[in-house]
């Protein structure tokens, strides 16, 4: 009898615990806040397709494939080397492969990476991944990009680890860097500006991450407060010009149509995109909708500082007898090798060969891009608007360093152009810095 009483007590206690647990679960389900972006919410097939389509477009705007695809590799499978002053970063696989990609990521994980610069396990990401700009992207757009990436074919590709130099590989330094330089926050529209201006600002400052290339950085790799003022790009030898200075790529005095044409096709009657910018146009900008390209152009025009720059007299060479002689030598080389395309007037052939006369990319303070164009040649981007671009042949096998310095100096000071002379040391530095 005593044994039966004990067994009854145990049975009652077990059920009390079970009922109590059930009450707690029900209470939690009823009163717990519903997450705004609950993963359990299933979109309708039509809505899902629409979201993936938006995500594919936005991934083009952000040129995700450009960074996350190694040369000759599978799209989005990573493995591309990004050379910086702080080490060599290897881009990760962002296909939905569950072992080597982001197949186990949730939308919240993806949002954390873009918006907060954090991996799903809480590790802080290095700003070689431009979350400092991507933090401005809305949750809706971030979710759409994630939906698109999850619709890709999974690719099993285990990329090597990045090689970060000491002491930058010490994670506590990254914590302090973020405290000093990273400001989390979605793009805040300026209500005093037009809808188009705000759309352009959102795309340039956020997904386009234009300041990642066009803003100078301090010794810790953080963007300066004044954005878009231009800088030499680490890891590639090209110079990213200022987007605000009228002496470089500032577009304050240009027509909107000129800016949109250059961004969409890579060529206008007066300008041709080259180097890294040509790659961005080929991989990304040519696919951007006309209304978005126009919005970007409106924003870029607004930040151009019309008539705010005065060329320094120090950048103009004093035309001594020796300098005039050197420029004359450069002129002879130009006549022999360059005149057929760019003409004796330096005006080129509109829409085919760019004008060198009055060309700001030729006369800006840094001669780097002009040197590289002469040295390595190249093509404008092949785009829908310019499917068969005319190319520039490389002259590094024809000119020795002194001759290249002479012809570039001539181009920078002929036809009314005025800029600093180029030396053999400039040529050597340009040659040595190239990883393109």
């Amino acid at each position: 009898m005593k044994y039966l009483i004990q067994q009854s007590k145990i049975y009652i206690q077990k059920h009390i615990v079970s009922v109590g647990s059930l009450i707690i679960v029900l209470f939690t389900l009823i009163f717990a806040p519903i997450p705004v972006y609950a993963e359990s919410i299933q979109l309708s097939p039509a809505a899902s397709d629409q979201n993936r389509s938006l995500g594919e477009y936005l991934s083009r705007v952000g040129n995700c494939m450009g960074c996350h695809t190694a040369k000759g590799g599978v799209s989005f499978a990573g493995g591309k080397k990004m050379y910086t002053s702080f080490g060599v970063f290897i881009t990760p696989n962002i296909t939905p492969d569950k072992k080597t990609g982001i197949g186990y990521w949730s939308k919240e994980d993806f949002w954390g990476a873009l918006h907060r610069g954090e991996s799903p396990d809480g590790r802080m990401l290095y700003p070689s991944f431009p979350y400092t700009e991507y933090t401005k992207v809305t949750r809706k757009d971030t979710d759409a990009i994630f939906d698109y990436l999850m619709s890709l074919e999974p690719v099993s590709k285990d990329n090597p680890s990045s090689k970060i130099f000491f002491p930058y590989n010490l994670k506590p330094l990254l914590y302090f860097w973020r405290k000093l330089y990273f400001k989390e926050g979605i793009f805040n529209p300026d209500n005093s500006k037009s809808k188009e201006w705000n759309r352009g600002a959102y795309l340039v400052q956020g997904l386009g991450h234009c300041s990642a290339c066009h803003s100078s950085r301090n010794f810790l790799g953080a963007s300066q407060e004044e954005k878009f003022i231009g800088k030499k790009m680490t890891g590639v030898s090209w110079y990213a010009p200022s987007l605000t200075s009228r002496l470089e790529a500032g577009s304050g005095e240009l027509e909107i149509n000129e800016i949109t044409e250059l961004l969409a096709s890579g060529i206008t009657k007066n300008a041709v995109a080259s180097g890294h910018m040509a790659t961005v146009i080929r991989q990304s900008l040519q696919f951007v909708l006309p209304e978005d390209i126009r919005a970007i152009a409106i924003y870029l025009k607004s930040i151009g500082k019309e008539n705010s720059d005065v060329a320094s007299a120090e950048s103009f060479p004093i035309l001594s007898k020796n300098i005039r002689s050197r420029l004359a030598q450069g002129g002879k080389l130009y006549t022999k090798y360059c005149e057929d395309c760019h003409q004796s007037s330096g005006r080129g052939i509109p829409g085919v060969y760019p004008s060198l006369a009055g060309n700001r990319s030729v006369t800006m303070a840094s001669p780097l891009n002009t040197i590289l164009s002469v040295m390595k040649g190249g093509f404008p981007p092949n785009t829908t608007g310019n499917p068969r671009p005319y190319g520039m042949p490389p002259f590094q096998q024809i000119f020795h360093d002194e001759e290249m310095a002479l012809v570039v100096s001539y181009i920078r000071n002929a036809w009314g152009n005025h800029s600093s002379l180029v030396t053999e040391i400039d040529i050597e530095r340009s040659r040595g810095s190239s990883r393109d």
Side-chain angles (χ1 to χ4, degrees):
M1 188 70 178
K2 186 176 180 180
Y3 173 79
L4 291 175
I5 294 173
Q6 287 177 339
Q7 291 299 311
S8 299
K9 286 182 179 180
I10 292 172
Y11 178 86
I12 293 170
Q13 286 173 351
K14 284 184 177 180
H15 280 70
I16 288 174
V17 170
S18 299
V19 172
S21 300
L22 180 61
I23 291 172
I24 291 172
V25 170
L26 290 173
F27 184 90
T28 302
L29 290 173
I30 294 170
F31 294 102
I34 299 173
V36 177
Y37 295 96
E39 294 295 329
S40 59
I41 298 176
Q42 298 295 318
L43 298 173
S44 67
S48 296
D49 290 343
Q50 185 178 21
N51 214 40
R52 283 194 293 269
S53 179
L54 172 62
E56 180 178 12
Y57 172 71
L58 294 172
S59 76
R60 279 287 192 182
V61 175
N63 197 20
C64 304
M65 185 170 61
C67 284
H68 289 276
T69 306
K71 188 174 182 179
V74 181
S75 298
F76 299 102
K80 184 173 181 177
K81 293 181 179 179
M82 303 185 71
Y83 295 90
T84 76
S85 301
F86 311 102
V88 181
F89 291 88
I90 311 297
T91 58
N93 182 347
I94 56 171
T95 71
D97 182 67
K98 291 186 176 181
K99 184 177 180 181
T100 64
I102 59 172
Y104 280 117
W105 285 34
S106 66
K107 285 185 178 179
E108 192 63 42
D109 293 332
F110 192 69
W111 169 251
L114 268 68
H115 188 69
R116 296 189 298 274
E118 296 176 357
S119 65
D121 60 6
R123 288 181 296 110
M124 296 175 289
L125 301 176
Y126 280 89
S128 56
F129 173 64
Y131 60 83
T132 47
E133 285 75 36
Y134 288 164
T135 188
K136 295 187 177 184
V137 180
T138 64
R139 180 65 190 256
K140 176 175 178 279
D141 285 351
T142 302
D143 285 354
I145 296 172
F146 180 78
D147 284 344
Y148 167 64
L149 293 177
M150 289 299 104
S151 72
L152 299 174
E153 187 72 25
V155 178
S156 179
K157 186 173 186 291
D158 197 1
N159 296 304
S161 300
S162 299
K163 298 178 181 179
I164 305 167
F165 304 146
F166 178 83
Y168 308 109
N169 58 344
L170 301 177
K171 289 301 177 69
L173 290 181
L174 184 57
Y175 172 81
F176 288 111
W177 186 95
R178 289 167 59 98
K179 286 292 184 182
L180 288 172
Y181 301 117
F182 175 49
K183 184 178 180 181
E184 178 185 325
I186 296 172
F187 174 78
N188 187 25
D190 184 342
N191 294 327
S192 69
K193 303 291 186 180
S194 69
K195 183 178 179 181
E196 279 186 303
W197 186 96
N198 276 294
R199 176 64 175 173
Y202 171 70
L203 294 173
V204 168
Q205 295 177 21
L207 272 178
H209 60 286
C210 302
S211 65
C213 290
H214 289 277
S215 293
S216 64
R217 296 178 180 272
N218 63 20
F219 71 102
L220 290 176
S223 294
Q224 301 295 320
E225 288 187 10
E226 188 174 0
K227 303 288 187 181
F228 310 117
I229 60 175
K231 73 175 179 69
K232 164 72 171 63
M233 296 173 63
T234 304
V236 293
S237 48
W238 295 87
Y239 172 77
S242 167
L243 300 182
T244 61
S245 170
R246 70 180 182 87
L247 296 179
E248 296 192 5
S251 50
E253 74 279 9
L254 298 181
E255 297 295 328
I256 295 295
N257 289 342
E258 290 182 84
I259 306 171
T260 58
E261 185 180 2
L262 182 62
L263 293 177
S265 71
I267 188 169
T268 69
K269 64 180 181 180
N270 295 316
V272 172
S274 58
H276 189 64
M277 189 63 195
T279 303
V280 172
I281 291 172
R282 177 175 57 82
Q283 293 178 339
S284 173
L285 289 175
Q286 70 163 315
F287 301 102
V288 176
L289 293 171
E291 55 266 34
D292 279 345
I293 285 287
R294 177 177 171 80
I296 291 171
I298 288 172
Y299 174 71
L300 292 178
K301 181 176 174 63
S302 75
I303 64 173
K305 299 177 181 177
E306 293 188 71
N307 303 316
S308 63
D309 298 294
V310 179
S312 170
E314 295 177 359
S315 67
F316 297 166
I318 300 173
L319 296 180
S320 65
K321 183 178 179 179
N322 180 54
I323 288 178
R324 284 197 299 270
S325 174
R326 290 180 62 79
L327 291 177
Q329 294 176 61
K332 290 178 181 179
L333 291 168
Y334 176 86
T335 299
K336 182 177 181 180
Y337 294 102
C338 314
E339 189 175 289
D340 284 350
C341 295
H342 294 286
Q343 309 297 298
S344 60
S345 64
R347 294 290 177 186
I349 301 175
V352 181
Y353 301 115
S355 173
L356 303 177
N359 188 326
R360 289 180 291 174
S361 67
V362 168
T363 59
M364 62 186 175
S366 171
L368 187 56
N369 293 352
T370 306
I371 292 172
L372 291 174
S373 294
V374 174
M375 181 187 295
K376 301 168 62 176
F379 285 83
N382 57 313
T383 60
T384 302
N386 187 32
R388 298 182 67 184
Y390 290 86
M392 166 96 172
F395 285 90
Q396 59 187 346
Q397 305 302 326
I398 298 174
F399 295 153
H400 54 66
D401 287 2
E402 182 183 9
E403 289 175 323
M404 198 170 295
L406 289 171
V407 73
V408 174
S409 293
Y410 173 76
I411 291 169
R412 283 163 63 83
N413 289 281
W415 320 293
N417 291 347
H418 294 288
S419 198
S420 60
L421 299 178
V422 173
T423 67
E424 291 178 63
I425 294 175
D426 295 323
I427 303 299
E428 183 60 32
R429 287 173 177 169
S430 301
R431 194 189 303 278
S433 67
S434 174
R435 288 194 184 96
D436 294 350

